[in-house]
Amino acid sequence: MAYADSETTESDSDNPPVFYTVHNAKSDSGQPEEHVHGLDDYIQMGKYVLLVCLAAELLILPQVSSMFYMMYAGAAPRVVSCDNTVFDPLLEGKEICFEIDKIGNCSHPKFKYQFKSVNVEYNYFCDTSKQVKNSISVQMFGVLAGSIVFGQVSDSFGRKVAVQIASFGMIVGWLLVCQSRNLFHFTVTRTITGFFTGGSVSVINVFIMENIPKKHRMWINMAITWSPNMPIYAWFAWLAQDWKTLAYINAAVCIPAIIFFQFFIYESPRWLVNKGKISEAVQVLQRQLKMSNHEDLIEEDFEDNLRLEHAKTMQKNTRNIKFSYNHLFVTPRLALTTIVLAYSYWSTSIINYGVLFNMEKLSGSIYWNSVYTGVMRYVCNLSFGYADLKFQCIGRKFIHTSGLVIVLLSLSVVVMSYALHLNHEMKETIRICILLASSMTSQIYIADGIVGNELFPTPVRTIGYSFLQLWNRLGVVCSPFIFYLADYWLALPFCCMLFFSLIDTFSFELCLPETKGRHLVEHMPPRDQWCFGGGVKGEIIEEDEEVGEELRPLEA
């Protein structure tokens, strides 16, 4: 019988392939019985998984600190008066800027602000505040570059090493930010920090997915996420009150992760097996299983199972290939998965960061708005995480689409309020709807990340996730610009968000399979299915048959 491929035919797409080895053991009756043990079967819930979750939290807080920093450090102040002109407090910030344009020169503006941002420090307001928003886009190019580079670093040198390098680089970056003397220096140092932040984000999600049981992937990703850290970071910002002090706090929160990873976290067994480091993989899995009280899974042929898994990987991935972003498009199915998920990340980031980087424009406290957003996100995350665990019908696609439906409804209310000129009367309703739309992006991100990790084969999983993060960061780069459209009509940014969300909804529903309960895909598709880079078809098939004969007795 031919071994299972990472891609399935149309007839068996609902029953994903399982990569396993069959061991002949004897039952009480003396008859051999089969024990199915794939690499997924050795990843069991226990103490080590809890340590992985804690390590993830220690990394996520610095990531949130970096990605949401400009929500406070780039907050535009409200102009209370300009020279001898005092503005109506009921006017929106953009409307005040329109009035300033009519006046002409504003040489002595008086600001009102909740946080002393770089805008206040260097006197950027109204049209000139766009320079700070442009700075955010430049900073995000650093995050984008980090996502690309660390995807390769992680696959070459290991998940643990990549995480530690990224965390140390973030500390150095934040200390440089504190020394900034103008917006240019600030932008350069923030870009350096962003580079290592992008690296941290691209690696940690893959590391978590490779170290938690498949049954618990969704709820753990829902529970250990950015959302509960938003109120914590709002508290940090409230304590700091200015951008320099907050940068020092950000540097400090990176330290615990480096220490914890060094002393309590092992390298990913999947990465070790994929690289042929079987002895190390055996040691790591034995420690994990003993720590989690699952020593019964450590059998005599434990190491042989891992060697066979590596043999399958090498045969499937075709020896000596150095995988790159090109390999995300070698088959139509893999290419479609990559494109749909990349677009979903891009459009979601437009909504999420477009709102966050313009949070000061909403009514109410910038700190409380952040807290409310984090709480709403976390409540939804926990609710859907529980539903995913308890109800088989609640899958990845349901969670993704339900979040987008709420986004669409919320943004529709905002657009209608501006279209009917009710934005002043409905300012609290607009505030709630915008915060709700931003909150729903959390579960969309999580669903995208899990589906990507469950559909990308192990050899390109980190590369695939870093590619998605690239498009995620491109969305962040574009997000400040979308609110420039408010110069033409205040509701136009939200109209664009509506359009992007509609495309995301239909493409995800129609083009991707449900992945709940599937084993992670361990191997690349057979090379004779590749659209390019597959070599000579006849030679490949012959080689596949030879290796298949060797593996067949162990695969029932």
Side-chain angles (χ1 to χ4, degrees):
M1 151 178 183
Y3 51 86
D5 297 332
S6 59
E7 292 203 310
T8 60
T9 62
E10 184 175 347
S11 61
D12 63 8
S13 59
D14 292 330
N15 298 298
V18 179
F19 301 96
Y20 57 82
T21 304
V22 175
H23 308 281
N24 289 327
K26 294 208 174 173
S27 63
D28 295 336
S29 62
Q31 297 296 323
E33 59 180 19
E34 294 181 338
H35 297 282
V36 178
H37 288 308
L39 199 50
D40 270 328
D41 296 310
Y42 293 121
I43 307 299
Q44 297 291 328
M45 178 59 73
K47 293 179 182 178
Y48 185 73
V49 173
L50 296 180
L51 290 179
V52 169
C53 292
L54 179 56
E57 170 58 28
L58 293 177
L59 279 175
I60 287 173
L61 183 55
Q63 292 169 9
V64 170
S65 300
S66 182
M67 294 303 299
F68 290 176
Y69 176 69
M70 291 306 294
M71 181 169 66
Y72 301 102
R78 181 183 178 86
V79 182
V80 178
S81 64
C82 181
D83 298 331
N84 296 321
T85 304
V86 179
F87 299 108
D88 186 343
L90 295 178
L91 292 176
E92 293 187 16
K94 194 64 182 177
E95 293 172 322
I96 292 175
C97 291
F98 289 152
E99 294 298 319
I100 292 176
D101 289 339
K102 294 178 183 178
I103 295 172
N105 186 36
C106 182
S107 55
H108 296 88
K110 182 178 180 181
F111 298 141
K112 179 181 180 182
Y113 55 87
Q114 302 176 53
F115 183 90
K116 188 177 181 181
S117 63
V118 293
N119 304 59
V120 178
E121 181 92 10
Y122 304 128
N123 204 36
Y124 290 102
F125 64 97
C126 286
D127 285 343
T128 57
S129 67
K130 290 182 179 179
Q131 295 181 41
V132 179
K133 301 303 181 185
N134 294 341
S135 167
I136 296 175
S137 295
V138 174
Q139 295 168 30
M140 291 304 113
F141 275 111
V143 180
L144 187 153
S147 299
I148 298 172
V149 172
F150 274 83
Q152 298 284 0
V153 170
S154 172
D155 282 341
S156 299
F157 302 103
R159 319 315 195 198
K160 180 177 176 179
V161 172
V163 162
Q164 291 178 303
I165 293 173
S167 297
F168 182 77
M170 289 173 68
I171 294 176
V172 174
W174 282 121
L175 295 178
L176 292 174
V177 169
C178 298
Q179 309 305 315
S180 301
R181 293 294 177 264
N182 53 49
L183 184 59
F184 175 77
H185 293 160
F186 178 81
T187 303
V188 171
T189 55
R190 272 288 296 145
T191 303
I192 294 172
T193 309
F195 175 82
F196 292 103
T197 302
S200 176
V201 172
S202 69
V203 175
I204 187 57
N205 287 281
V206 174
F207 181 84
I208 294 172
M209 288 295 292
E210 292 183 343
N211 283 277
I212 59 178
K214 62 185 178 66
K215 178 182 178 181
H216 302 279
R217 287 175 194 155
M218 178 59 80
W219 79 261
I220 286 179
N221 277 275
M222 287 289 192
I224 311 298
T225 184
W226 288 24
S227 302
N229 291 280
M230 290 181 67
I232 297 174
Y233 193 58
W235 181 60
F236 288 165
W238 179 78
L239 289 176
Q241 289 294 308
D242 70 84
W243 64 273
K244 282 189 179 181
T245 305
L246 187 57
Y248 280 117
I249 294 175
N250 290 349
V253 299
C254 296
I255 298 174
I258 297 177
I259 298 173
F260 195 83
F261 261 82
Q262 180 63 34
F263 294 104
F264 298 101
I265 299 298
Y266 305 116
E267 183 55 81
S268 167
R270 289 184 187 279
W271 181 84
L272 292 171
V273 169
N274 190 54
K275 291 297 181 180
K277 300 183 178 183
I278 306 302
S279 298
E280 291 182 49
V282 168
Q283 293 176 8
V284 167
L285 280 171
Q286 286 178 338
R287 291 170 188 163
Q288 292 181 12
L289 291 170
K290 288 178 181 178
M291 188 181 300
S292 301
N293 297 320
H294 288 288
E295 294 120 58
D296 55 298
L297 292 175
I298 305 175
E299 301 172 343
E300 292 182 2
D301 48 4
F302 179 70
E303 183 171 345
D304 292 337
N305 294 344
L306 299 186
R307 292 191 182 281
L308 181 59
E309 193 69 40
H310 174 65
K312 287 184 183 181
T313 301
M314 293 301 292
Q315 184 274 324
K316 279 287 190 180
N317 298 340
T318 62
R319 295 175 179 82
N320 300 324
I321 284 186
K322 185 173 180 62
F323 291 98
S324 66
Y325 293 104
N326 293 336
H327 292 92
L328 299 175
F329 302 91
V330 292
T331 67
R333 182 178 296 181
L334 200 51
L336 184 63
T337 297
T338 303
I339 292 169
V340 170
L341 290 174
Y343 175 80
S344 184
Y345 266 108
W346 178 82
S347 62
T348 304
S349 289
I350 290 283
I351 299 170
N352 183 36
Y353 289 95
V355 172
L356 291 177
F357 291 150
N358 291 274
M359 189 75 79
E360 74 279 2
K361 293 180 172 62
L362 299 179
S363 61
S365 165
I366 190 174
Y367 306 110
W368 280 111
N369 284 343
S370 181
V371 170
Y372 295 149
T373 302
V375 170
M376 284 192 288
R377 287 185 178 207
Y378 203 47
V379 169
C380 291
N381 288 350
L382 293 179
S383 300
F384 279 106
Y386 177 81
D388 175 80
L389 187 64
K390 293 296 182 181
F391 305 106
Q392 187 61 34
C393 60
I394 305 295
R396 309 334 187 197
K397 296 176 76 170
F398 178 88
I399 291 173
H400 183 274
T401 302
S402 61
L404 278 169
V405 168
I406 296 175
V407 169
L408 290 169
L409 293 175
S410 300
L411 294 179
S412 296
V413 172
V414 174
V415 172
M416 289 301 296
S417 66
Y418 278 104
L420 299 174
H421 304 289
L422 297 174
N423 49 305
H424 291 292
E425 293 83 350
M426 297 179 62
K427 66 177 183 178
E428 285 302 316
T429 302
I430 292 174
R431 173 195 184 196
I432 293 171
C433 287
I434 292 176
L435 292 178
L436 183 60
S438 177
S439 299
M440 290 302 103
T441 59
S442 176
Q443 69 190 62
I444 300 171
Y445 278 132
I446 292 172
D448 285 342
I450 291 178
V451 170
N453 279 306
E454 289 176 333
L455 291 180
F456 286 132
T458 296
V460 294
R461 186 169 295 124
T462 303
I463 292 175
Y465 192 80
S466 68
F467 182 81
L468 298 184
Q469 288 302 310
L470 184 154
W471 282 93
N472 183 0
R473 301 316 161 200
L474 280 175
V476 182
V477 169
C478 297
S479 61
F481 299 119
I482 196 168
F483 271 85
Y484 291 2
L485 297 174
D487 291 345
Y488 304 98
W489 183 37
L490 292 176
L492 193 54
F494 303 107
C495 292
C496 292
M497 293 177 184
L498 266 172
F499 177 70
F500 297 150
S501 298
L502 278 171
I503 297 177
D504 187 9
T505 303
F506 287 107
S507 62
F508 197 95
E509 277 293 321
L510 298 176
C511 299
L512 297 183
E514 177 57 60
T515 60
K516 182 176 182 178
R518 291 194 176 198
H519 287 260
L520 294 182
V521 180
E522 300 292 352
H523 315 293
M524 289 291 288
R527 287 189 66 181
D528 60 306
Q529 297 179 12
W530 292 14
C531 297
F532 57 87
V536 181
K537 186 173 182 179
E539 294 178 0
I540 296 163
I541 293 174
E542 183 179 353
E543 178 188 349
D544 287 353
E545 289 175 350
E546 290 177 0
V547 180
E549 289 296 331
E550 297 174 3
L551 300 179
R552 213 163 278 140
L554 295 169
E555 291 185 332

Tab-separated table of all heavy atoms in Angstrom, residues 72-102:
chain	number	residue	atom	x	y	z
A	72	TYR	N	0.335	54.672	21.381
A	72	TYR	CA	0.535	55.720	22.385
A	72	TYR	C	1.610	56.713	21.932
A	72	TYR	O	1.403	57.930	21.978
A	72	TYR	CB	0.940	55.086	23.723
A	72	TYR	CG	-0.088	54.117	24.252
A	72	TYR	CD1	0.084	52.744	24.123
A	72	TYR	CD2	-1.244	54.572	24.875
A	72	TYR	CE1	-0.863	51.846	24.591
A	72	TYR	CE2	-2.196	53.684	25.359
A	72	TYR	CZ	-1.998	52.327	25.210
A	72	TYR	OH	-2.952	51.446	25.673
A	73	ALA	N	2.759	56.177	21.490
A	73	ALA	CA	3.881	57.053	21.124
A	73	ALA	C	3.596	57.867	19.872
A	73	ALA	O	4.255	58.877	19.633
A	73	ALA	CB	5.150	56.223	20.928
A	74	GLY	N	2.622	57.422	19.055
A	74	GLY	CA	2.284	58.157	17.841
A	74	GLY	C	0.917	58.811	17.899
A	74	GLY	O	0.369	59.199	16.855
A	75	ALA	N	0.357	58.938	19.097
A	75	ALA	CA	-0.978	59.521	19.247
A	75	ALA	C	-0.949	61.026	18.971
A	75	ALA	O	-0.177	61.769	19.594
A	75	ALA	CB	-1.508	59.252	20.653
A	76	ALA	N	-1.771	61.466	18.032
A	76	ALA	CA	-1.828	62.892	17.695
A	76	ALA	C	-2.566	63.660	18.794
A	76	ALA	O	-3.624	63.232	19.255
A	76	ALA	CB	-2.542	63.088	16.363
A	77	PRO	N	-2.037	64.808	19.232
A	77	PRO	CA	-2.717	65.595	20.269
A	77	PRO	C	-3.920	66.329	19.687
A	77	PRO	O	-4.012	66.557	18.479
A	77	PRO	CB	-1.635	66.581	20.706
A	77	PRO	CG	-0.790	66.765	19.484
A	77	PRO	CD	-0.782	65.440	18.792
A	78	ARG	N	-4.847	66.685	20.532
A	78	ARG	CA	-5.993	67.491	20.114
A	78	ARG	C	-5.614	68.966	20.236
A	78	ARG	O	-5.087	69.390	21.263
A	78	ARG	CB	-7.205	67.185	20.994
A	78	ARG	CG	-8.463	67.964	20.622
A	78	ARG	CD	-9.599	67.650	21.584
A	78	ARG	NE	-10.798	68.421	21.256
A	78	ARG	CZ	-11.711	68.048	20.379
A	78	ARG	NH1	-11.574	66.894	19.741
A	78	ARG	NH2	-12.771	68.797	20.140
A	79	VAL	N	-5.849	69.705	19.186
A	79	VAL	CA	-5.542	71.140	19.210
A	79	VAL	C	-6.708	71.876	19.860
A	79	VAL	O	-7.819	71.904	19.323
A	79	VAL	CB	-5.289	71.678	17.787
A	79	VAL	CG1	-4.911	73.159	17.855
A	79	VAL	CG2	-4.193	70.881	17.097
A	80	VAL	N	-6.458	72.447	21.029
A	80	VAL	CA	-7.506	73.156	21.767
A	80	VAL	C	-7.682	74.568	21.216
A	80	VAL	O	-8.807	75.063	21.061
A	80	VAL	CB	-7.170	73.206	23.271
A	80	VAL	CG1	-8.233	74.000	24.039
A	80	VAL	CG2	-7.044	71.798	23.828
A	81	SER	N	-6.576	75.216	20.938
A	81	SER	CA	-6.627	76.578	20.402
A	81	SER	C	-5.438	76.813	19.481
A	81	SER	O	-4.406	76.129	19.590
A	81	SER	CB	-6.623	77.610	21.536
A	81	SER	OG	-5.410	77.559	22.257
A	82	CYS	N	-5.590	77.780	18.597
A	82	CYS	CA	-4.520	78.118	17.657
A	82	CYS	C	-4.380	79.638	17.651
A	82	CYS	O	-5.303	80.355	17.201
A	82	CYS	CB	-4.868	77.597	16.276
A	82	CYS	SG	-3.600	77.926	15.056
A	83	ASP	N	-3.252	80.113	18.209
A	83	ASP	CA	-3.061	81.558	18.381
A	83	ASP	C	-4.223	82.106	19.222
A	83	ASP	O	-4.362	81.744	20.372
A	83	ASP	CB	-2.929	82.243	17.032
A	83	ASP	CG	-1.705	81.751	16.262
A	83	ASP	OD1	-0.732	81.358	16.934
A	83	ASP	OD2	-1.732	81.724	15.027
A	84	ASN	N	-5.078	82.936	18.631
A	84	ASN	CA	-6.193	83.518	19.397
A	84	ASN	C	-7.526	82.818	19.151
A	84	ASN	O	-8.564	83.263	19.642
A	84	ASN	CB	-6.352	85.006	19.045
A	84	ASN	CG	-5.130	85.807	19.450
A	84	ASN	OD1	-4.551	85.555	20.510
A	84	ASN	ND2	-4.731	86.781	18.628
A	85	THR	N	-7.515	81.711	18.409
A	85	THR	CA	-8.755	81.007	18.068
A	85	THR	C	-8.923	79.789	18.969
A	85	THR	O	-8.037	78.918	19.035
A	85	THR	CB	-8.733	80.561	16.600
A	85	THR	OG1	-8.518	81.699	15.760
A	85	THR	CG2	-10.046	79.888	16.226
A	86	VAL	N	-10.054	79.730	19.666
A	86	VAL	CA	-10.381	78.581	20.514
A	86	VAL	C	-11.440	77.751	19.790
A	86	VAL	O	-12.463	78.286	19.341
A	86	VAL	CB	-10.911	79.024	21.891
A	86	VAL	CG1	-11.271	77.804	22.734
A	86	VAL	CG2	-9.875	79.885	22.606
A	87	PHE	N	-11.213	76.441	19.708
A	87	PHE	CA	-12.099	75.584	18.916
A	87	PHE	C	-13.198	74.954	19.772
A	87	PHE	O	-13.003	74.699	20.975
A	87	PHE	CB	-11.288	74.486	18.223
A	87	PHE	CG	-10.259	75.023	17.280
A	87	PHE	CD1	-8.905	74.959	17.603
A	87	PHE	CD2	-10.624	75.606	16.073
A	87	PHE	CE1	-7.949	75.451	16.736
A	87	PHE	CE2	-9.679	76.110	15.205
A	87	PHE	CZ	-8.337	76.030	15.530
A	88	ASP	N	-14.333	74.706	19.145
A	88	ASP	CA	-15.481	74.084	19.793
A	88	ASP	C	-15.089	72.677	20.268
A	88	ASP	O	-14.630	71.853	19.471
A	88	ASP	CB	-16.644	73.990	18.803
A	88	ASP	CG	-17.932	73.495	19.442
A	88	ASP	OD1	-17.867	72.929	20.556
A	88	ASP	OD2	-19.001	73.651	18.815
A	89	PRO	N	-15.256	72.374	21.547
A	89	PRO	CA	-14.860	71.050	22.060
A	89	PRO	C	-15.683	69.900	21.476
A	89	PRO	O	-15.288	68.737	21.606
A	89	PRO	CB	-15.076	71.179	23.574
A	89	PRO	CG	-16.034	72.304	23.741
A	89	PRO	CD	-15.751	73.255	22.625
A	90	LEU	N	-16.826	70.196	20.853
A	90	LEU	CA	-17.655	69.146	20.264
A	90	LEU	C	-17.139	68.695	18.895
A	90	LEU	O	-17.550	67.655	18.381
A	90	LEU	CB	-19.105	69.617	20.126
A	90	LEU	CG	-19.842	69.908	21.441
A	90	LEU	CD1	-21.247	70.411	21.157
A	90	LEU	CD2	-19.879	68.664	22.330
A	91	LEU	N	-16.236	69.475	18.305
A	91	LEU	CA	-15.708	69.125	16.990
A	91	LEU	C	-14.784	67.911	17.082
A	91	LEU	O	-14.070	67.721	18.072
A	91	LEU	CB	-14.928	70.296	16.393
A	91	LEU	CG	-15.721	71.545	15.984
A	91	LEU	CD1	-14.781	72.630	15.503
A	91	LEU	CD2	-16.747	71.202	14.912
A	92	GLU	N	-14.808	67.071	16.037
A	92	GLU	CA	-13.853	65.973	15.941
A	92	GLU	C	-12.481	66.535	15.574
A	92	GLU	O	-12.366	67.648	15.051
A	92	GLU	CB	-14.304	64.958	14.881
A	92	GLU	CG	-15.560	64.211	15.250
A	92	GLU	CD	-15.874	63.096	14.263
A	92	GLU	OE1	-14.970	62.714	13.483
A	92	GLU	OE2	-17.013	62.609	14.273
A	93	GLY	N	-11.431	65.753	15.859
A	93	GLY	CA	-10.076	66.205	15.591
A	93	GLY	C	-9.862	66.593	14.141
A	93	GLY	O	-9.197	67.594	13.844
A	94	LYS	N	-10.446	65.807	13.224
A	94	LYS	CA	-10.290	66.108	11.804
A	94	LYS	C	-11.001	67.408	11.439
A	94	LYS	O	-10.510	68.186	10.603
A	94	LYS	CB	-10.859	64.949	10.968
A	94	LYS	CG	-10.463	64.991	9.503
A	94	LYS	CD	-8.954	64.817	9.348
A	94	LYS	CE	-8.522	64.905	7.912
A	94	LYS	NZ	-7.059	64.797	7.761
A	95	GLU	N	-12.123	67.668	12.076
A	95	GLU	CA	-12.872	68.898	11.804
A	95	GLU	C	-12.104	70.122	12.300
A	95	GLU	O	-12.134	71.190	11.676
A	95	GLU	CB	-14.252	68.813	12.443
A	95	GLU	CG	-15.145	67.753	11.802
A	95	GLU	CD	-16.441	67.522	12.555
A	95	GLU	OE1	-16.414	67.561	13.804
A	95	GLU	OE2	-17.483	67.291	11.913
A	96	ILE	N	-11.391	69.961	13.422
A	96	ILE	CA	-10.547	71.055	13.928
A	96	ILE	C	-9.429	71.352	12.934
A	96	ILE	O	-9.093	72.513	12.678
A	96	ILE	CB	-9.971	70.703	15.314
A	96	ILE	CG1	-11.084	70.653	16.361
A	96	ILE	CG2	-8.895	71.704	15.729
A	96	ILE	CD1	-10.622	70.204	17.738
A	97	CYS	N	-8.874	70.296	12.353
A	97	CYS	CA	-7.803	70.489	11.360
A	97	CYS	C	-8.327	71.213	10.118
A	97	CYS	O	-7.616	72.021	9.509
A	97	CYS	CB	-7.192	69.152	10.978
A	97	CYS	SG	-6.230	68.384	12.327
A	98	PHE	N	-9.570	70.934	9.736
A	98	PHE	CA	-10.175	71.661	8.621
A	98	PHE	C	-10.253	73.160	8.946
A	98	PHE	O	-10.004	74.017	8.087
A	98	PHE	CB	-11.581	71.122	8.322
A	98	PHE	CG	-11.592	69.753	7.701
A	98	PHE	CD1	-12.679	68.901	7.880
A	98	PHE	CD2	-10.527	69.302	6.942
A	98	PHE	CE1	-12.705	67.642	7.308
A	98	PHE	CE2	-10.530	68.044	6.363
A	98	PHE	CZ	-11.626	67.203	6.550
A	99	GLU	N	-10.601	73.465	10.194
A	99	GLU	CA	-10.692	74.859	10.626
A	99	GLU	C	-9.315	75.525	10.604
A	99	GLU	O	-9.182	76.701	10.226
A	99	GLU	CB	-11.291	74.938	12.038
A	99	GLU	CG	-12.742	74.494	12.141
A	99	GLU	CD	-13.661	75.370	11.311
A	99	GLU	OE1	-13.472	76.597	11.293
A	99	GLU	OE2	-14.570	74.810	10.654
A	100	ILE	N	-8.292	74.779	11.019
A	100	ILE	CA	-6.927	75.323	11.012
A	100	ILE	C	-6.481	75.614	9.582
A	100	ILE	O	-5.808	76.625	9.314
A	100	ILE	CB	-5.949	74.358	11.704
A	100	ILE	CG1	-6.244	74.288	13.201
A	100	ILE	CG2	-4.498	74.781	11.474
A	100	ILE	CD1	-5.407	73.283	13.967
A	101	ASP	N	-6.872	74.753	8.638
A	101	ASP	CA	-6.539	74.994	7.227
A	101	ASP	C	-7.163	76.300	6.733
A	101	ASP	O	-6.557	77.033	5.931
A	101	ASP	CB	-7.033	73.827	6.361
A	101	ASP	CG	-6.203	72.569	6.578
A	101	ASP	OD1	-5.058	72.701	7.061
A	101	ASP	OD2	-6.697	71.467	6.284
A	102	LYS	N	-8.355	76.616	7.227
A	102	LYS	CA	-9.025	77.858	6.828
A	102	LYS	C	-8.296	79.073	7.410
A	102	LYS	O	-8.175	80.117	6.768
A	102	LYS	CB	-10.477	77.856	7.306
A	102	LYS	CG	-11.353	76.802	6.627
A	102	LYS	CD	-12.761	76.839	7.195
A	102	LYS	CE	-13.637	75.741	6.572
A	102	LYS	NZ	-14.999	75.748	7.178
